[in-house]
Amino acid sequence: MTTRKNAYTYDDLIASGNGELFGPGFAQLPLPPMLMFDRITHISGEGGEFGKGQVRAELDLNPDLWFYACHFHNDPVMPGCLGLDALWQMVGFFLCWSGDPGRGRAVGGEIKFKGQATTDKKLLEYQIDIKGHRRMPVPYGTAEGTVKADGEVIYVAKNLRVGLFPGD
């Protein structure tokens, strides 16, 4: 496994998607267009609301993003499921960053929508606070999360759950 850093660039995230960041046997982030953030600005195994770790990431918004053209016609908005998926992606990334191997899979969570990511917004800020992390029988993480659009909370997620499962 590579050396753990406390922040990751877009190129690092693409390396993760290609299986090059953490190495063989470790989960990979999805590649664009399903990679839902441009950078991880902070990752730590300490801190956060529960003292067990935190991840913060950002996505630069612009009206040319792929989802605005198809969701909805003449009423462009980022699908809420993509923001939720970004939070799951971050939990899986945290598990790999922590040294846990396996293929990442979202296994649950709850979300409340309080706003929208529309074409007038410039920046999405994601944050997850690790609530629990176990390594056996399979690596598994739980977290609480928020998504902000230009500083305003638009999604609140509870009990985000991701497992890392053995490959084929």
Side-chain angles (χ1 to χ4, degrees):
M1 192 172 108
T2 63
T3 304
R4 295 188 323 171
K5 302 190 301 186
N6 65 3
Y8 290 86
T9 66
Y10 183 77
D11 289 340
D12 293 329
L13 303 179
I14 296 301
S16 171
N18 288 320
E20 301 163 353
L21 185 62
F22 296 115
F26 284 83
Q28 300 166 219
L29 286 170
L31 290 169
M34 288 306 297
L35 176 63
M36 294 313 305
F37 38 91
D38 293 323
R39 65 200 147 269
I40 292 177
T41 59
H42 171 78
I43 185 168
S44 174
E46 301 173 347
E49 182 180 349
F50 307 99
K52 296 180 180 183
Q54 184 180 74
V55 184
R56 292 190 304 263
E58 297 177 340
L59 174 67
D60 297 320
L61 294 175
N62 71 70
D64 296 327
L65 287 170
W66 66 273
F67 46 78
Y68 286 134
C70 58
H71 188 265
F72 296 100
H73 183 66
N74 294 325
D75 183 18
V77 62
M78 178 181 176
C81 60
L82 296 180
L84 176 59
D85 197 64
L87 297 173
W88 277 323
Q89 291 174 23
M90 293 166 62
V91 176
F93 190 91
F94 177 85
L95 294 172
C96 289
W97 176 86
S98 296
D100 295 325
R103 295 177 184 222
R105 297 294 185 264
V107 293
E110 306 157 26
I111 192 157
K112 180 177 182 180
F113 297 106
K114 303 175 114 195
Q116 303 176 81
T118 51
T119 56
D120 61 320
K121 305 296 184 195
K122 303 295 181 215
L123 181 69
L124 279 189
E125 298 170 277
Y126 303 101
Q127 178 174 311
I128 59 164
D129 294 309
I130 302 301
K131 193 173 173 181
H133 177 197
R134 71 167 195 228
R135 290 195 153 83
M136 299 300 278
V138 297
Y140 187 85
T142 58
E144 309 281 289
T146 58
V147 179
K148 293 180 181 178
D150 291 348
E152 176 188 344
V153 175
I154 60 170
Y155 311 156
V156 175
K158 303 284 184 193
N159 298 314
L160 296 163
R161 296 181 302 280
V162 172
L164 299 182
F165 299 94
D168 296 336

